[in-house]
Amino acid sequence: MKFGRLNTRIEIQRATSTRDDWNHETKTWSVLHNIWAHVSQENTTLAGEAGAVSHVMRWKFRVRYLDGLKLTDRLVYDHRTLDIVGWQEVGNREALDIFATLRNVDS
């Protein structure tokens, strides 16, 4: 892998939950990794959900291999917050392709 192609900064965040004085759960996001990536947009699709039109954009982020990623984590790229939907190891722990989506629903 050519690590010089990792030219875009991304942030991987993980949620933590705490309870306040009234026992209400509060979710906060903290930075798990702030790393370099090679970004490519995979596709954009339209789908109808309960009468709404959904625009789903999907990206692939190639990063140096990292361990411990969870589907409940999220990714911040270009001021957008994306849902991580999967990942795939490249080589023998050389790199990781992270797949993430951004969903905008218009009524």
Side-chain angles (χ1 to χ4, degrees), residues 25-41:
E25 187 176 27
T26 303
K27 183 190 291 189
T28 58
W29 292 91
S30 57
V31 177
L32 186 63
H33 300 285
N34 193 339
I35 53 179
W36 292 99
H38 173 72
V39 182
S40 57
Q41 188 167 349

Side-chain angles (χ1 to χ4, degrees), residues 53-87:
V53 176
S54 180
H55 304 277
V56 180
M57 299 188 321
R58 179 178 171 169
W59 285 268
K60 178 174 81 172
F61 300 88
R62 178 159 289 180
V63 300
R64 289 180 186 257
Y65 183 83
L66 54 94
D67 199 16
L69 200 59
K70 297 180 180 181
L71 287 175
T72 53
D73 296 339
R74 69 183 189 182
L75 191 146
V76 178
Y77 158 66
D78 194 27
H79 307 290
R80 298 175 182 158
T81 302
L82 310 174
D83 298 322
I84 295 175
V85 295
W87 55 86

